[in-house]
Amino acid sequence: MNKKDIFIGMFIGLVANAIGLFFAANLLGQGEDFTHVIQAAAKEGFLGKLISLGAILNLLAFFIFIKKRQDYRARGVLLITVFVAVFTFVFKLF
C-alpha cells in the first residue's frame, strides 16, 4: 500500500506541476499560445524558471496530503518536486 500511495503522490505531483506550468505560461505569456510561450522561453533561456514556477502547485498538493495525514502521498509529491529541482538545475547547466 505504501508504494501505491507514493506513486499516486508522484502522479499528482506531475499533474500539479504541468497545470502550474500551464498557468505560469499563460500568465507570463500575455495571451500568447502555450506552445509559443514555451518555445520563446527555451530560446530566451528562462524555461527552467518557468518550470520551477509551475512547481508551486506541488506545495499546495503537499500540504493537502499532510493535512489529511496521507504521508506517503505527500512523500511522492516531494520526490517529484526534488526531481523537478534537479532537472531545472541540470537544464540550466547545459
Side-chain angles (χ1 to χ4, degrees):
M1 176 107 175
N2 294 341
K3 288 183 182 181
K4 180 182 173 185
D5 285 336
I6 290 174
F7 284 125
I8 289 171
M10 290 173 70
F11 177 74
I12 290 174
L14 282 173
V15 170
N17 199 356
I19 291 170
L21 175 63
F22 182 74
F23 284 145
N26 283 336
L27 182 67
L28 297 175
Q30 300 171 347
E32 294 287 329
D33 185 31
F34 176 73
T35 56
H36 184 271
V37 171
I38 297 297
Q39 290 172 352
K43 285 181 186 176
E44 296 176 15
F46 68 91
L47 182 60
K49 294 176 185 176
L50 196 60
I51 293 171
S52 296
L53 279 174
I56 290 175
L57 280 184
N58 285 355
L59 185 66
L60 179 68
F62 177 77
F63 281 118
I64 288 172
F65 286 140
I66 291 294
K67 182 132 176 105
K68 290 183 174 184
R69 299 193 185 268
Q70 296 176 341
D71 295 334
Y72 288 101
R73 289 184 183 189
R75 187 179 294 178
V77 172
L78 186 62
L79 285 171
I80 288 299
T81 305
V82 169
F83 175 75
V84 168
V86 170
F87 174 76
T88 55
F89 178 72
V90 171
F91 187 74
K92 187 166 178 97
L93 288 177
F94 300 104

